[in-house]
Amino acid sequence: MSTENRSSALIQVVEDDPHLNMAISETLRSFDFEVEAFANGALALAWLENNRPDLILCDIMMPEMDGYTFLRHTRADPQLRTLPFIFLTARTSPADQRLAREIGIEDYLTKPIDSESLVIAIRNALRRQQAMREEMQHEMDALRNRIVSVLQHEFRTPLTFVLGYAEY
């Protein structure tokens, strides 16, 4: 499902603390985001088999499947690899942040976080994603135009000889 079919972005929230999960979800809804919330990475990954959010907001320390494992699964899947992924976690060590960045996250936010900062991080990640899509579309259009131009030239060259002999 893409943003074009919805009026707002769909955010997948993955947080094992039910109160915090509900608070984050309600905060995002108050900023006009659509939210699908899950208690761990295994449930979130199962949902991703048939759905596609615009961004994933995920805790690191969770039962069944932690945030790092969930992130690795999304980065290994070609359909999910470019999905913006933000960690929102209580883990503040530079080693945790470095590991998350090595796997490929958009942002690393630490708890507690105010709602404005959270929404700014989400909007920035969504803007970068949209800019990448537009740039990719521009490059694909340019490549398509170049291929058509080359093919037209290649088809005309033999036809020139055929037409020349036909006229002769």
Side-chain angles (χ1 to χ4, degrees):
M1 189 181 287
S2 67
T3 308
E4 294 123 25
N5 300 336
R6 295 186 308 269
S7 60
S8 61
L10 175 60
I11 311 298
Q12 183 184 47
V13 175
V14 188
E15 169 63 57
D16 63 321
D17 181 307
H19 301 293
L20 188 54
N21 192 321
M22 186 174 68
I24 292 169
S25 298
E26 289 305 313
T27 298
L28 294 178
R29 286 184 184 107
S30 74
F31 282 90
D32 295 325
F33 291 107
E34 293 182 38
V35 177
E36 286 291 332
F38 299 91
N40 63 58
L43 294 171
L45 193 60
W47 182 80
L48 286 173
E49 290 177 9
N50 299 312
N51 301 281
R52 179 157 174 134
D54 297 298
L55 181 138
I56 297 172
L57 180 65
C58 185
D59 188 14
I60 292 177
M61 298 180 291
M62 297 180 293
E64 292 187 49
M65 182 185 291
D66 69 358
Y68 291 125
T69 305
F70 179 52
L71 174 60
R72 284 186 182 100
H73 279 286
T74 61
R75 293 305 181 237
D77 185 331
Q79 298 297 317
L80 304 172
R81 154 174 317 151
T82 60
L83 200 58
F85 199 110
I86 297 175
F87 272 143
L88 177 59
T89 182
R91 298 182 87 154
T92 60
S93 78
D96 284 319
Q97 293 180 27
R98 194 171 25 260
L99 175 59
R101 283 182 169 69
E102 285 174 3
I103 301 171
I105 59 164
E106 282 293 312
D107 210 341
Y108 191 101
L109 307 173
T110 56
K111 299 173 187 171
I113 189 167
D114 64 280
S115 59
E116 290 290 328
S117 297
L118 176 61
V119 170
I120 287 170
I122 289 171
R123 287 183 177 154
N124 283 339
L126 292 171
R127 266 194 297 275
R128 283 191 297 272
Q129 179 74 3
Q130 183 60 33
M132 285 186 345
R133 281 189 194 127
E134 289 171 2
E135 180 62 27
M136 189 182 312
Q137 185 61 47
H138 176 71
E139 289 179 16
M140 290 297 291
D141 290 344
L143 179 61
R144 188 178 303 114
N145 291 339
R146 186 153 188 256
I147 289 171
V148 168
S149 169
V150 168
L151 285 176
Q152 286 177 345
H153 174 73
E154 293 301 320
F155 284 136
R156 276 193 207 131
T157 304
L159 286 176
T160 304
F161 291 115
V162 170
L163 291 174
Y165 284 116
E167 288 176 7
Y168 181 67

